[in-house]
Amino acid sequence: MIVENGKKLHVLADDDEDDHLIFNEAILHTKLPLELSYAEDGRKLLEALENDVIPDVLFLDINMPNMNGLECLKAIRSKPGFKSLPIIIYSTTDFNPTVQTCFEYGANLYVVKPNSFNEIVKIIEQLCTIEWTSMANTPTADFFKFPSVG
């Protein structure tokens, strides 16, 4: 499990302020010791990563200004120090070519943003308790897109 010994998990989410507030509220409902960091766009996210604000798990939106999620994902994976950083694409986009590109660029999972607050809480609970270090760095295409929580 990624959360252990009272350690707080640093999660960087997407650029949308409303989504950030909902994501933060969902984190509070998980009862897990999670801490949310926020980046307004892809460039600011890369700056934070380069300034040692390294999350344990990164939730990355595709549709961000200045540098979109695909560009950001590609840039992150090009840096040797970030090869093992778990990156979860968390987006409203469900376009298969985009999903495939995220897989090819090295994301660990792809999650379509759910419509229900309770589903967001369940997804965060599930994804923030994965033992990422024991998972292969490259997922298989069959298990890349995270299933809907019902």
Side-chain angles (χ1 to χ4, degrees), residues 12-26:
L12 292 165
D14 66 49
D15 65 299
D16 184 270
E17 190 172 333
D18 290 337
D19 284 347
H20 173 256
L21 292 172
I22 292 167
F23 200 87
N24 191 52
E25 186 67 25

Side-chain angles (χ1 to χ4, degrees), residues 2 6 13 19 38 41-42 46 50 61 74 87 92 96 115-116 124 132 140-141:
I2 201 160
D19 284 347
Y38 174 66
D41 60 49
L46 285 177
E50 289 169 359
D61 187 19
K74 192 173 185 179
I87 300 176
T92 56
N96 280 338
N115 294 324
S116 144
I124 293 170
W132 290 101
T140 63

